[in-house]
Amino acid sequence: MSALDTLRAEAIKPLETAHTLPFAAYTDESVYAEEVRKVFYNEWVFVCQEPELAMPGDYFAMTLAGEPICVIRGHDRKLRALSNTCRHRATPLLDEGFGTVDRYVTCPYHAWSYDLDGELKAIPYNKLIAVDRERHRLPQFHCDTWGGLVFVHLGAKPRPLGERFARMSDYLGAFEMDSFDTAGSDEPEYWNANWKLVLENAMESYHLFKVHAATLERVSPTQGAYYLAGNSEWSLTGGTTTYGKKAIDRRYVLLSMAPSFVGILTTGSLGWLSAHPVNPTRTMIRSGAISTKMAARRTGAADQFTKAFFEEDRLICERVQRGMSAVKGRGGKLVDMDRVVTDFHQFLATRLFDLPPTGFYEAPGMHGESQSTLSATGLNRS
C-alpha cells in the first residue's frame, strides 16, 4: 500500500478504533504534495488578524504552501488577497511580514507598479511594446474574516467562510468576540516538524502534565480539560485556567480550526498558534492574540511565560518528528483525550479523499444547548 492508502485507512476511523497515523504521513513527499494540492490550495487558511491591517496600504505578506500572497487594505477599506509576485518576471513584490505602502506596490526589480487593488499602473521606459494592463493585474484570491481573523482561500469556488464555522459560532456568543479590536503577533519561527504533528500537539491537552509540568500544567491542569463538541470541520475543547495570587479560576475554550489554526478563547481575548507547512518536515509557526484593549494591557506580563511553553512545544514536536523515521515502529491506540486529534484526522480524510464530513459529536451534558449551557457552566465568566 502507498503512504496515502495507509493514511486513508487510519484517518477515517472513529475514536473507538483510531490509532496514530502511519509515520509516513509525517515524512512522505507524495503525502505532502497531496496536502498542498487538496488542503492548502483548496481550503480557508488563517493568515493574520484584521486589526493588524487597520489603515489603507497596511499589508501582511507570506508564502502559503509555496504561493506568495499578500493581504492588503485598499483605499476603499476592503481587504484583498493578492499575488505577491510581479507580473513582469515573477519578482516577489513585498517583503514577508507586516508593512505599509503609501499608494502603489512597486516591484524592486524593474519598478512595475500596481495600485492596492492589484491593477497595473506603471511600466517604466516602455514606449514601443503594447502591454495589456488588465491581463497583467495581480491575481486575486478569496479573502474573508471570521471573529477578527483573516482567512485566504486559493481555490476557485470556496464554500463561504461563515458556513464553514457556522455551528461552532453557536457555542461562542457569550465571549463577545465582536468586541475584540486589538491585535498583535510575533515573528515567525521554523520548527523541524511536520505541520500535522504541530497541529495535533497544539489542539490536545493530554501532554500538559508531562511536557508543560513547570508552565501550563500549573495554571491549566490536564485533569481539568474536557471535550465540548465538534466533528471533522472544527472542534472545541475546554478547561480551567487559574490566574493571579488570588487563584481566580476562569474557563477557556480551545478552538481547533484545521488546517492551520488553534486558539485559546477566554474572557476578552483569543490567543492563537498557526502552522503553515514549508516542506514535509519543516513548519512555519506564528502566534499572537486578538482581544479587547483592556485585556491587551494585561498580557504583557505573560509574554515570558508564553515563550517558555512554546519552546517546550517546539522541543517535543521536533523530538516526535525524529521518531517518525522509525521503520518497524508503529503508532498506538488513541485514547479518551485524543478525541480532538481524531477529529483532525477525519478532516484530512474528507479533504484528501473527497469523503463527506463526519457526524457531529457533542459531549454528554451539553444537550444541544450551546450558548446557554456554556454560560451556565461559567465559560464566559471569571
Side-chain angles (χ1 to χ4, degrees):
M1 295 177 69
S2 71
L4 276 166
D5 290 336
T6 56
L7 170 58
R8 185 186 191 281
E10 197 57 59
I12 62 176
K13 293 180 180 178
L15 176 64
E16 290 73 19
T17 57
H19 294 74
T20 299
L21 293 180
F23 294 169
Y26 302 91
T27 61
D28 187 85
E29 291 281 357
S30 64
V31 171
Y32 177 72
E34 198 73 352
E35 290 168 348
V36 169
R37 185 174 72 88
K38 302 190 77 171
V39 177
F40 286 92
Y41 279 13
N42 200 37
E43 184 54 81
W44 288 105
V45 180
F46 168 76
V47 292
C48 63
Q49 301 167 107
E50 189 169 11
E52 295 179 291
L53 306 177
M55 302 300 294
D58 288 351
Y59 69 83
F60 176 72
M62 67 173 291
T63 300
L64 175 54
E67 185 70 39
I69 65 168
C70 66
V71 177
I72 192 164
R73 176 88 58 185
H75 290 297
D76 58 2
R77 312 293 300 189
K78 292 182 179 179
L79 286 177
R80 293 177 176 84
L82 303 173
S83 171
N84 193 33
T85 56
C86 183
R87 293 303 308 275
H88 181 214
R89 284 163 61 181
T91 307
L93 295 167
L94 298 168
D95 291 337
E96 295 203 355
F98 291 96
T100 300
V101 295
D102 293 331
R103 190 175 178 186
Y104 297 117
V105 176
T106 300
C107 179
Y109 197 3
H110 300 101
W112 284 35
S113 296
Y114 307 83
D115 66 14
L116 304 188
D117 300 344
E119 182 181 350
L120 177 61
K121 304 299 286 188
I123 305 173
Y125 298 104
N126 181 58
K127 295 181 179 180
L128 301 178
I129 303 301
V131 177
D132 184 337
R133 298 200 177 202
E134 183 61 29
R135 181 178 176 274
H136 286 77
R137 292 180 65 95
L138 297 178
Q140 184 169 334
F141 307 107
H142 298 279
C143 181
D144 204 349
T145 62
W146 181 91
L149 308 173
V150 180
F151 291 78
V152 170
H153 196 297
L154 301 180
K157 295 181 179 180
R159 175 168 49 144
L161 178 64
E163 181 182 313
R164 169 84 160 81
F165 300 126
R167 194 166 183 180
M168 181 175 66
S169 300
D170 294 343
Y171 291 83
L172 307 177
F175 289 94
E176 300 179 345
M177 292 177 65
D178 289 343
S179 67
F180 296 178
D181 57 2
T182 302
S185 53
D186 296 325
E187 291 295 316
E189 300 181 9
Y190 292 86
W191 295 4
N192 294 319
N194 181 272
W195 70 276
K196 298 187 296 299
L197 196 156
V198 174
L199 258 290
E200 290 167 350
N201 177 77
M203 65 179 57
E204 56 96 336
S205 299
Y206 191 15
H207 70 285
L208 301 186
F209 75 99
K210 182 63 175 176
V211 175
H212 303 298
T215 52
L216 282 176
E217 178 66 14
R218 295 187 175 186
V219 296
S220 301
T222 296
Q223 188 172 3
Y226 48 88
Y227 186 94
L228 283 169
N231 63 356
S232 58
E233 301 302 284
W234 52 265
S235 301
L236 298 177
T237 58
T240 302
T241 301
T242 302
Y243 287 86
K245 296 180 180 179
K246 295 182 180 180
I248 299 173
D249 287 345
R250 291 180 180 169
R251 302 283 183 172
Y252 69 82
V253 173
L254 191 72
L255 289 64
S256 298
M257 301 158 68
S260 64
F261 184 90
V262 176
I264 301 176
L265 180 62
T266 59
T267 303
S269 69
L270 172 65
W272 53 266
L273 172 146
S274 68
H276 295 98
V278 177
N279 60 43
T281 59
R282 189 165 172 81
T283 304
M284 183 182 76
I285 308 297
R286 295 183 61 243
S287 61
I290 183 169
S291 65
T292 61
K293 288 184 174 64
M294 182 177 296
R297 287 195 291 268
R298 298 196 299 259
T299 60
D303 285 350
Q304 291 302 315
F305 178 81
T306 302
K307 290 178 181 178
F309 74 75
F310 261 57
E311 179 64 7
E312 292 166 347
D313 278 328
R314 181 187 69 81
L315 292 172
I316 197 63
C317 286
E318 292 185 348
R319 185 184 183 110
V320 176
Q321 184 66 48
R322 293 194 295 272
M324 296 302 171
S325 65
V327 176
K328 295 187 177 181
R330 295 181 61 188
K333 184 73 185 72
L334 297 183
V335 296
D336 290 351
M337 294 198 72
D338 291 317
R339 180 177 292 277
V340 65
V341 175
T342 304
D343 288 346
F344 174 55
H345 292 174
Q346 293 177 344
F347 163 84
L348 294 171
T350 64
R351 273 38 178 201
L352 293 176
F353 310 110
D354 302 318
L355 301 175
T358 61
F360 180 74
Y361 178 86
E362 191 172 59
M366 292 297 292
H367 304 301
E369 296 178 22
S370 299
Q371 291 183 33
S372 60
T373 302
L374 292 181
S375 178
T377 56
L379 280 171
N380 64 317
R381 306 184 210 174
S382 59

